[in-house]
Amino acid sequence: MKARILVIDDEAEIRRSVRMILEYEGYDVQEASSGPEGLALIEREPPDLVFMDIRMPGLDGLEALQKIRQINEALPVVIISGHGTVATAVEATKLGAFDFIEKPLASERVLVTIRNALDSTRLQDENRTLKRAVEARYQMVGESPGLRQIWDSIKRAAPTNATVLLLGESGVGKELVARSIYRNSLRSRERFVQVNCAAIPEELIESELFGHEKGSFTGATEKQVGKFEQADHGTIFLDEVGDMSAKTQAKVLRVLQEGEVERIGSARTIKVDVRVIAATNKDLEAEIEKGNFREDLYFRLSVIPIKVPPLRERREDIPALVRHFADLFGRDNNRRPQRFTAAALEFMQKARWKGNVRELRNTVERLLIMTPGDVIDVDDLRDVVRADSRPAAAPEGATAAPNHLSPNTLREFKESAERKFLVEKLRENAWNISKTAEVIGTPRSNLYKKLEQYAITQESDG
Ligand SMILES: Nc1ncnc2c1ncn2[C@@H]1O[C@H](COP(=O)(O)OP(=O)(O)OP(=O)(O)O)[C@@H](O)[C@H]1O
Ligand SMILES: [Mg+2]
């Protein structure tokens, strides 16, 4: 697409020569003969770049520049400076002009400067889009009192260096809370290193966390820098901290107490300055009782404990979360946004969500895939919202059949889609089995088999 450039200059001759240079290069050029005229054009139809004289009668370039900044902060402005106005032009760059060019205008210089200015804004745009995408991904949605309390804790804990322990059921958003603390902390420009203590095999976790020297054990063919060292000056997120072995617990305790690590196979201790955020879905006090978790480590970790409440205790957040996930999904897949009806949202608000926000998110994505239309209504939910997650008193006879479970695997997904398809076709054919079998092109015997397999009956359809 052609970039549009607005030339503001009181001298018609300058405007004409600039227009010639720019149009020859394929730019779209607009002209204004005064500051106010230029500002009006910018407000009406923002150009991609402004090329402006610094000395004009009435509103001069500097004032016009400040006004442009108020209208559009990101619009690049290149200043034309005449003999004796270079100092003012320099001033203009301090006020946010991209660059200035001295008269007489050399076409090469004009073109290079404009190209640079356009490139830099394009880059800025891309950065902004990227940053916004990352922010949307880690955005914490919800206004419930439960969540607002979490926000208060985040704001209080973030700027300190205190260790935070995040507690709560699986899928409630502990990782999001950890990232929010990090982003709002004084260490937000340093690294955020995440370790999932449950996912790393026991024999590797120490070397993951603390590193090892080359040849320190069989298989250690290269030296490895541990996560604590990687996180130096930054933040380490110890996820599923309740799943660490006794031996690892002892070592982690030592880092917290002494602020130093030792690589496996090395006698040298290394000082590290790391802020620790830990999370677990286990009841650590019960684990202490059972002798599975060290009490001293628990005290060290839970300087600031934050308990993230399960979704069922903050159902007010569900509609906003559903919309948020639908938006994210639509953006990721370049799809038109689909809308949930009020009835559908209400149905979802009453469901149990044992898997908390994660389950809600997966369900929304599945619904978006499985529903062909633009609108998702209660009917579309019946086969998708997990049977054990449905409201106890399901509306309009939505009964839980054993095969409605939410799909986690491709096979479950196929089955779930197949079931939905069959129910729809049966409805269309007034539950006439022979007719339906014919329409969908399968032997009657096969359809009967499927009905049995998926526990589909006319009654179960409400
Ligand atoms: N308030 C929220 N707003 C938007 N998304 C959320 C919110 N809470 C959780 N999520 C999303 O739900 C999913 C689960 O969240 P997260 O991974 O943080 O849970 P968790 O508590 O760490 O679970 P686990 O204990 O299983 O690791 C993620 O995709 C996360 O982005
Ligand atoms: Mg997690």
Side-chain angles (χ1 to χ4, degrees), residues 326-327 329-331 333-339 368 371-375:
D327 279 355
F329 184 82
R331 215 177 306 161
N333 295 282
N334 267 325
R335 288 167 61 133
R336 270 173 302 118
Q338 283 159 290
R339 195 174 63 78
L368 297 175
T371 315
D374 283 347
V375 176

Side-chain angles (χ1 to χ4, degrees), residues 206-207 209-211 228 245-257 260-265 294 297:
E206 277 182 53
S207 116
L209 289 175
F210 311 109
F228 272 98
S245 70
K247 197 163 148 222
T248 313
Q249 286 176 39
K251 289 207 158 189
V252 168
L253 179 65
R254 178 162 161 225
V255 189
L256 295 181
Q257 280 169 339
E260 50 187 40
V261 292
E262 234 166 62
R263 291 190 191 152
I264 300 172
R294 294 179 69 119
L297 178 57

Side-chain angles (χ1 to χ4, degrees), residues 174-175 237 239-240 358:
K174 295 185 293 296
E175 185 182 333
F237 176 40
D239 203 1
E240 317 287 2
R358 181 176 295 115

Side-chain angles (χ1 to χ4, degrees), residues 379 382-383 394-400 404 419 423 427 431 455-462:
D379 276 342
R382 297 232 173 88
D383 297 328
E396 296 158 52
T399 45
H404 295 207
R419 179 180 202 282
V423 171
R427 259 186 227 148
W431 291 86
I456 299 173
T457 61
Q458 192 167 357
E459 289 72 45
S460 75
D461 188 44

Side-chain angles (χ1 to χ4, degrees), residues 170-172 175 355-363:
S170 184
V172 288
E175 185 182 333
N356 291 298
V357 187
R358 181 176 295 115
E359 187 188 356
L360 179 65
R361 181 190 182 127
N362 292 343
T363 302

Side-chain angles (χ1 to χ4, degrees), residues 29-278:
V29 180
Q30 265 182 316
E31 292 179 32
S33 61
S34 72
E37 194 189 323
L39 287 170
L41 278 173
I42 291 169
E43 277 194 317
R44 200 175 331 134
E45 204 180 350
D48 297 300
L49 183 141
V50 174
F51 202 62
M52 179 168 66
D53 192 7
I54 193 102
R55 183 175 286 169
M56 292 180 285
L59 192 68
D60 79 12
L62 274 192
E63 291 170 279
L65 176 63
Q66 280 163 318
K67 293 234 157 78
I68 291 172
R69 280 283 156 273
Q70 282 163 16
I71 301 171
N72 184 339
E73 214 188 323
L75 181 58
V77 177
V78 175
I79 296 289
I80 310 170
S81 110
H83 205 62
T85 52
V86 173
T88 324
V90 171
E91 175 83 355
T93 58
K94 285 187 191 144
L95 287 174
F98 180 79
D99 202 352
F100 66 87
I101 302 177
E102 282 176 80
K103 281 191 245 180
L105 299 175
S107 56
E108 267 303 289
R109 175 97 169 90
V110 170
L111 292 174
V112 168
T113 307
I114 284 180
R115 209 169 297 141
N116 287 344
L118 290 172
D119 281 353
S120 88
T121 43
R122 196 167 308 130
L123 257 175
Q124 273 177 17
D125 278 355
E126 276 165 21
N127 279 341
R128 239 189 314 256
T129 316
L130 220 79
K131 207 163 151 227
R132 226 175 288 145
V134 170
E135 271 166 13
R137 197 151 314 285
Y138 294 129
Q139 190 192 344
M140 275 180 62
V141 173
E143 290 290 332
S144 62
L147 206 67
R148 270 209 297 271
Q149 226 170 347
I150 297 293
W151 265 118
D152 286 345
S153 311
I154 291 174
K155 278 196 219 117
R156 242 174 289 134
T160 72
N161 270 328
T163 303
V164 178
L165 178 62
L166 302 171
L167 301 161
E169 291 175 15
S170 184
V172 288
K174 295 185 293 296
E175 185 182 333
L176 277 193
V177 174
R179 288 181 184 277
S180 303
I181 293 173
Y182 159 69
R183 277 210 315 271
N184 290 289
S185 75
L186 299 170
R187 297 169 178 244
S188 62
R189 284 165 189 277
E190 304 291 336
R191 300 185 69 178
F192 179 86
V193 176
Q194 180 166 4
V195 191
N196 186 335
C197 303
I200 303 166
E202 171 61 32
E203 48 312 343
L204 292 182
I205 185 135
E206 277 182 53
S207 116
E208 265 305 295
L209 289 175
F210 311 109
H212 62 244
E213 296 297 338
K214 185 173 172 178
S216 54
F217 55 86
T218 343
T221 49
E222 292 300 330
K223 158 184 120 167
Q224 180 173 335
V225 176
K227 300 280 185 187
F228 272 98
E229 253 183 278
Q230 288 174 24
D232 197 13
H233 303 301
T235 306
I236 195 166
F237 176 40
L238 299 175
D239 203 1
E240 317 287 2
V241 79
D243 293 86
M244 287 188 311
S245 70
K247 197 163 148 222
T248 313
Q249 286 176 39
K251 289 207 158 189
V252 168
L253 179 65
R254 178 162 161 225
V255 189
L256 295 181
Q257 280 169 339
E258 320 288 339
E260 50 187 40
V261 292
E262 234 166 62
R263 291 190 191 152
I264 300 172
S266 161
R268 196 161 62 93
T269 56
I270 304 163
K271 280 269 167 219
V272 287
D273 164 22
V274 178
R275 201 252 178 105
V276 177
I277 303 176

Side-chain angles (χ1 to χ4, degrees), residues 277-293:
I277 303 176
T280 181
N281 52 28
K282 291 201 168 155
D283 177 351
L284 284 190
E285 288 179 11
E287 295 300 311
I288 293 169
E289 287 284 300
K290 285 189 250 166
N292 294 334
F293 202 82

